[in-house]
Amino acid sequence: MRSLSRILICVLGLLITNNLFSQDSSVHFSFDKERIDGKEVLLKFKAKLSPGIELFGIQRSASDPLYSNIHFDSSARGILVDSLFSTTKEYQEFDSLVQDSVHYFLDSAVWQQKIRAEETDSLLVKGSISYMYKKGEQYLPAEQDFRIFVQPETMVAVADETDTKELAAQSLWWIFFTAFAGGLLALFTPCIYSMIPVTVSFFTKRSKNKSEGIRNAFYYSASIVVIFTLLGFLITVIFGPAALNNLATNWIANLIFFLLFLVFGISFLGAFNIELPSSWSLKADSKAGTGSFFGIFFMALTLVVVSFSCTGPIIGNLLVLAARGSYYGPLVGMFGFSLALALPFALFAFSPGKLNVLGKAGGWLNAVKVTLGFLELALALKFLSNADLSQGWRILDREIFLSLWIVIFVTLGIYLLGFIKFHHDDTLPKNDFDLPYLSIPRLFF
């Protein structure tokens, strides 16, 4: 009779569940390990139960009607020490369905197993947990595989520290080079590109000799780096790594980033300019001059304020990227961005005759700015997608997201081919037959 009851319970479980070994969210397992001494390690199997769930205990005898079991692979059976045991409260009651006493857990369960492992041993313990639990009037079976790594103690500490340092270093280098690339992009915006020959010529012609012109241009470049790096330093000090990381992963912050990037993108397309208060640039310009380092510093500050409509959106992207890095992310990012931005002013000061390689600041600069606007719109959708996934709104599913990206980049391609014009765009250059033509570099872009 008891055997028949067991069979009926198993059949009932198979009928109720779609898959015998599918894990229900009602029971969630986690695995851990702890070294006891130089020869033994304690493996921990932790089960967290949803409210109302009863998880049946480990089988004690062949007559147990309802039970769970932990099965170790054959490679691990030779290192097991003593029997599996529980450290959480186990309940016992008479079950009317099986007409027998059963042992079960509520809320949580922790099973532990000792194994032999020297401090220098490196082991992989594998196996599975076959368990049964009661959910309402249902008796459900399930299975969970596990893999627990036991590493040498000396290696674990060194490896953890090394991995952390390497990860932080890689993250900072990645932020630096990405920010440097962003600075190079900013150079090709109308606000910056047209200022390079004007500024370099100003220093070389107004200075008493060439060495003084080079020195003043170097001061100017260094001031740009100092201003932007100081901004990164202030952000790091004020917010700190935890706040920046939380800001980067919070769904509300991602929604705000989406709106900001949307505004930045529309601005780059030419709808409007994002500018700092004009009083700031006037005040900085009033203190500018070549008489001293501080005068040159305020000239650089004037450039930073005036060019904000072009650099602001790129800096916004950079700060979001840097927020996902380590404590020094904003500092390193702003240094990389400003270094790329300041480099041409210093280099061309050494060779003013090379300024002609820059070419004319024509309508192609606005094309670069519009292209950045399309990229901003694409990035804005990424942040909206993050918030959507976090909250489960499903307003931007994968198919919709990819479709919008396709529309954005196809439209960008049509724009670069010259079929779409925005407010500040020039007409395409004309050939010898007075017909507009498309340059080969623009075609490839």
Side-chain angles (χ1 to χ4, degrees):
M1 183 66 182
R2 183 173 293 173
S3 298
L4 180 61
S5 298
R6 294 180 191 169
I7 294 172
L8 288 174
I9 292 170
C10 291
V11 172
L12 181 62
L14 285 170
L15 292 174
I16 293 172
T17 53
N18 292 326
N19 188 337
L20 176 62
F21 297 117
S22 65
Q23 185 180 1
D24 193 291
S25 59
S26 300
V27 182
H28 176 72
F29 277 97
S30 61
F31 312 102
D32 199 3
K33 61 183 181 296
E34 177 186 344
R35 177 161 291 281
I36 303 173
D37 51 37
K39 295 184 178 181
E40 291 184 352
V41 170
L42 187 66
L43 305 181
K44 299 180 180 181
F45 306 85
K46 303 176 182 179
K48 186 177 180 180
L49 313 179
S50 298
I53 299 298
E54 297 179 7
L55 176 64
F56 296 106
I58 296 296
Q59 184 181 20
R60 299 183 178 185
S61 65
S63 62
D64 287 347
L66 300 169
Y67 55 86
S68 301
N69 257 334
I70 297 181
H71 308 282
F72 292 91
D73 280 6
S74 56
S75 59
R77 291 171 190 165
I79 59 174
L80 300 181
V81 179
D82 300 329
S83 302
L84 189 73
F85 61 96
S86 173
T87 59
T88 48
K89 183 178 180 180
E90 192 171 7
Y91 299 87
Q92 181 179 355
E93 70 175 17
F94 183 81
D95 192 288
S96 58
L97 181 64
V98 297
Q99 293 295 307
D100 203 346
S101 180
V102 295
H103 297 267
Y104 63 91
F105 297 92
L106 296 174
D107 299 327
S108 64
V110 178
W111 294 311
Q112 298 185 355
Q113 173 67 60
K114 293 180 182 180
I115 62 170
R116 286 191 298 271
E118 301 285 344
E119 289 184 340
T120 56
D121 288 345
S122 180
L123 305 171
L124 172 59
V125 183
K126 298 188 296 181
S128 62
I129 304 175
S130 300
Y131 60 97
M132 183 170 283
Y133 62 97
K134 184 179 179 182
K135 184 177 183 180
E137 297 301 321
Q138 300 175 343
Y139 295 79
L140 305 173
E143 184 170 288
Q144 170 73 55
D145 294 330
F146 65 85
R147 295 162 62 91
I148 304 176
F149 292 92
V150 179
Q151 294 177 289
E153 289 298 302
T154 52
M155 289 180 60
V156 171
V158 174
D160 288 345
E161 184 179 356
T162 303
D163 290 345
T164 302
K165 289 181 177 179
E166 288 181 355
L167 184 62
Q170 290 174 2
S171 177
L172 288 177
W173 278 112
W174 183 69
I175 289 174
F176 173 80
F177 286 117
T178 305
F180 190 85
L184 294 179
L185 272 177
L187 284 173
F188 292 97
T189 57
C191 311
I192 302 294
Y193 193 87
S194 57
M195 292 296 296
I196 297 174
V198 174
T199 305
V200 172
S201 299
F202 175 82
F203 286 124
T204 54
K205 292 179 180 180
R206 296 291 183 89
S207 301
K208 297 177 181 179
N209 50 57
K210 184 178 180 180
S211 60
E212 183 180 340
I214 293 174
R215 184 194 64 194
N216 290 338
F218 176 78
Y219 285 165
Y220 185 81
S221 302
S223 298
I224 294 175
V225 175
V226 169
I227 292 168
F228 280 107
T229 306
L230 182 62
L231 176 62
F233 174 75
L234 291 175
I235 292 172
T236 299
V237 171
I238 294 171
F239 291 99
L244 286 171
N245 185 64
N246 292 337
L247 187 67
T249 55
N250 183 271
W251 72 270
I252 297 178
N254 275 280
L255 203 57
I256 294 173
F257 291 149
F258 159 71
L259 295 174
L260 285 175
F261 281 32
L262 184 64
V263 172
F264 288 155
I266 295 173
S267 170
F268 267 167
L269 294 179
F272 51 83
N273 286 328
I274 302 174
E275 299 177 351
L276 294 176
S278 57
S279 58
W280 292 16
S281 58
L282 292 174
K283 190 171 183 179
D285 189 52
S286 65
K287 297 183 179 181
T290 57
S292 65
F293 170 78
F294 290 103
I296 296 173
F297 177 85
F298 279 102
M299 285 184 65
L301 183 60
T302 304
L303 173 73
V304 172
V305 175
V306 171
S307 65
F308 186 78
S309 60
C310 293
T311 60
I314 300 176
I315 293 172
N317 297 346
L318 170 60
L319 291 178
V320 173
L321 165 70
R324 300 176 185 271
S326 66
Y327 184 83
Y328 300 102
L331 183 66
V332 172
M334 297 303 283
F335 174 75
F337 176 83
S338 59
L339 185 64
L341 202 65
L343 210 54
F345 294 97
L347 293 178
F348 283 114
F350 282 94
S351 303
K354 300 292 184 181
L355 283 172
N356 58 349
V357 303
L358 292 177
K360 294 183 179 180
W364 66 273
L365 285 176
N366 191 69
V368 172
K369 189 176 178 181
V370 170
T371 301
L372 291 176
F374 279 105
L375 295 178
E376 293 277 351
L377 295 179
L379 286 172
L381 290 177
K382 181 65 177 70
F383 290 105
L384 179 59
S385 175
N386 291 341
D388 182 55
L389 289 172
S390 174
Q391 296 303 108
W393 297 325
R394 300 205 64 182
I395 59 175
L396 200 64
D397 286 339
R398 176 180 173 83
E399 293 79 7
I400 298 176
F401 180 86
L402 291 177
S403 298
L404 289 173
W405 265 41
I406 290 170
V407 169
I408 287 173
F409 287 105
V410 167
T411 308
L412 172 59
I414 295 173
Y415 167 78
L416 291 175
L417 289 172
F419 293 105
I420 299 176
K421 295 293 182 185
F422 289 97
H423 178 63
H424 295 95
D425 282 323
D426 289 345
T427 56
L428 291 173
K430 295 184 177 181
N431 57 20
D432 296 337
F433 303 98
D434 200 35
L435 296 174
Y437 73 94
L438 193 69
S439 67
I440 299 301
R442 183 161 178 161
L443 174 66
F444 273 94
F445 275 116

